[in-house]
Amino acid sequence: MQANGGYLASAEFAAQLDRLGEVAARTGLNVAPGQQVIMTAPLHAVPLVRRITEHAYKAGASLVTTFYSDEETTLARYKYGEESTFDTASGWLSAGMAEGFRAGAARMAITGSNPALLVGQNPDHVSRASKAASRVNRPAMEIITNFDVNWCIVAAATPAWAMQVFPDLPEDKAVEKLWQAIFAVSRLNGDDPVAQWEAHNAILHRRAAFLNDVRYDALHFSGPGTDLLVGLADGHDWAGGAEKAGNGIVCNPNIPTEEVFTTPHRLRVEGTVASTKPLSHQGTLIDGIKVRFEGGRIVDMHATRGQEVLERVLDTDEGARRLGEVALVPHSSPISRSGLLFQNTLFDENAASHIALGQSYTKCMRDTQGQDEAALAKRGANTSMIHIDWMIGSGEIDVDGLDAQGARVPLMRRGEWVIAA
């Protein structure tokens, strides 16, 4: 990054970075007075961490604690670690975070890692380390997926990530363009970004309310390579934009967000579906995905690129071959209009309608209090150590809602909402 001169040293950049920090703390987390914040971030995100921290304290946070990650030290493990060590994970750290969330701390995550960091590393080591981390992180992740506390993910442009998105530019120019793209799709360009987010949330809430009122039994996706029927969980609930967490705080979990989403039924997914954008996972770009579902389970799969990695994902556990989320996103979303492949799920999932393999969000089911995992599974919720989104929407995909008798109503045509926002 440039130390002196240029966009990254400009007053415009400083103002936009501060706006992102304010939106993250006020709209994303909506930090409550006296609340602690646990934040994770890559080292290159320090400037954004500082802005978020300032705005969190201005909102009344009692303590902000940040844990930094460093890609060079992460890579060192895969280059020099002993064969027997890749099933090891920091359970003590995960347990501490889970304890913090149970005590009421908010969760802020800053993403920005190099999507190609682990390219060329032993895929077995990567898979084992990922499974180990998923196992120890599960108690903390269950608090997040159950939406028990307010949480938010935002992004910071980092040099390695920027060079993956803009490989033909010098590093400083790539970082500059990535920051500008993040600011634009995060809706920071108006005079009052917080108010702009309130208006955007209202649109997402109206779409979710419509879907909750009509209560479709299933969705049908159709288009090139796709003929997919997605049954919806019993007592499913559509959500989108700002929502109330279990602690009573209304927050925006994702900045940016363009989706409304719900819980599919783990046993009621049938047909074929093709990806419409590449999926970046653990340093591998998986492209040309086409899978076939029977009885809710993937029984056949193919990828033109990264198939071995996809196979490993599907073999994570029994729930990895079933769906935990289905989301509707208009093809005209700002992220789609940018024309960029961010190689980061926070952005790419908001460019197109998508499905997610793995763990369900039980926040998208009604009347779950007192129900254990078995009871939720009976209603259709899926359980897995993973939750991986991949994009199936485009300007060529139609979506219909089906009631219990099979009557069909158009929801999206050529990737755009038919219903009024």
Side-chain angles (χ1 to χ4, degrees):
M1 294 189 189
Q2 296 177 19
N4 297 292
Y7 175 74
L8 297 178
S10 68
E12 178 189 355
F13 174 73
Q16 289 286 69
L17 193 69
D18 188 68
R19 285 182 170 193
L20 182 57
E22 181 182 17
V23 165
R26 289 184 54 191
T27 300
L29 280 188
N30 191 15
V31 180
Q35 188 176 32
Q36 290 194 37
V37 176
I38 298 173
M39 183 157 35
T40 57
L43 282 177
H44 283 284
V46 169
L48 179 57
V49 169
R50 290 171 178 165
R51 300 292 80 75
I52 293 173
T53 300
E54 287 179 6
H55 285 286
Y57 281 126
K58 289 177 181 178
S62 61
L63 181 66
V64 179
T65 304
T66 303
F67 295 89
Y68 290 98
S69 60
D70 171 52
E71 292 183 343
E72 288 300 314
T73 54
T74 297
L75 195 58
R77 180 187 189 190
Y78 293 96
K79 288 182 175 179
Y80 309 115
E82 293 290 336
E83 172 68 29
S84 62
T85 64
F86 290 98
D87 299 306
T88 304
S90 301
W92 55 270
L93 178 58
S94 300
M97 286 193 172
E99 182 179 348
F101 299 150
R102 292 190 198 101
R107 167 78 164 110
M108 170 61 72
I110 301 179
T111 182
S113 60
N114 177 5
L117 180 67
L118 301 181
V119 168
Q121 302 307 309
N122 186 319
D124 180 62
H125 292 172
V126 175
S127 178
R128 286 165 54 196
S130 177
K131 286 182 180 180
S134 294
R135 281 194 295 270
V136 301
N137 286 335
R138 185 165 183 176
M141 285 306 301
E142 284 181 343
I143 295 170
I144 300 303
T145 57
N146 290 341
F147 207 35
D148 293 334
V149 299
N150 47 322
W151 60 275
C152 180
I153 304 175
V154 297
T158 60
W161 177 26
M163 290 305 297
Q164 291 297 314
V165 180
F166 302 104
D168 298 328
L169 295 179
E171 182 180 284
D172 59 336
K173 295 299 182 183
V175 173
E176 174 182 326
K177 284 187 70 69
L178 184 54
W179 269 122
Q180 290 172 334
I182 290 170
F183 295 150
V185 301
S186 298
R187 299 177 180 269
L188 304 182
N189 291 336
D191 292 334
D192 187 344
V194 172
Q196 194 169 340
W197 268 97
E198 289 176 358
H200 179 53
N201 278 324
I203 293 172
L204 296 177
H205 290 165
R206 286 197 292 272
R207 288 173 180 160
F210 168 83
L211 293 167
N212 284 326
D213 286 343
V214 296
R215 192 72 44 190
Y216 292 116
D217 184 67
L219 301 178
H220 182 236
F221 293 81
S222 58
T226 292
D227 182 5
L228 183 71
L229 186 68
V230 179
L232 302 179
D234 301 339
H236 67 276
D237 204 31
W238 286 89
E243 300 286 342
K244 183 183 289 187
N247 59 4
I249 298 173
V250 176
C251 66
N252 264 92
N254 290 351
I255 302 290
T257 185
E258 303 293 332
E259 64 178 338
V260 291
F261 59 98
T262 195
T263 301
H265 198 295
R266 66 188 186 91
L267 303 179
R268 295 180 49 230
V269 182
E270 305 285 344
T272 57
V273 61
S275 64
T276 53
K277 289 182 179 291
L279 165 64
S280 180
H281 181 70
Q282 294 182 345
T284 297
L285 209 60
I286 308 172
D287 201 3
I289 302 171
K290 188 165 186 178
V291 303
R292 180 167 60 88
F293 287 87
E294 287 184 2
R297 187 174 186 272
I298 293 176
V299 295
D300 187 38
M301 60 77 65
H302 176 73
T304 57
R305 179 181 179 185
Q307 177 157 329
E308 181 181 352
V309 174
L310 181 59
E311 289 172 348
R312 288 177 182 273
V313 167
L314 297 180
D315 290 338
T316 301
D317 53 30
E318 197 281 333
R321 289 178 176 263
R322 299 183 185 275
L323 295 187
E325 179 190 347
V326 59
L328 301 179
V329 178
H331 181 60
S332 59
S333 78
I335 293 132
S336 177
R337 290 200 306 269
S338 77
L340 297 176
L341 179 65
F342 284 86
Q343 300 183 45
N344 183 299
T345 300
L346 176 63
F347 295 88
D348 292 334
E349 73 167 1
N350 285 297
S353 294
H354 55 273
I355 51 180
L357 300 171
Q359 181 67 37
S360 295
Y361 289 128
T362 52
K363 74 175 286 289
C364 290
M365 297 179 71
R366 296 182 174 183
D367 304 320
T368 60
Q369 188 170 1
Q371 296 196 339
D372 59 15
E373 189 174 289
L376 292 172
K378 189 174 181 180
R379 293 174 56 187
N382 192 39
T383 300
S384 176
M385 291 191 294
I386 67 167
H387 182 94
I388 299 175
D389 300 89
W390 52 287
M391 282 49 77
I392 65 170
S394 74
E396 298 181 285
I397 299 295
D398 295 338
V399 184
D400 291 329
L402 280 68
D403 65 19
Q405 288 71 47
R408 183 180 297 264
V409 176
L411 291 180
M412 304 183 92
R413 286 294 178 265
R414 299 188 67 81
E416 299 300 330
W417 284 100
V418 173
I419 62 171

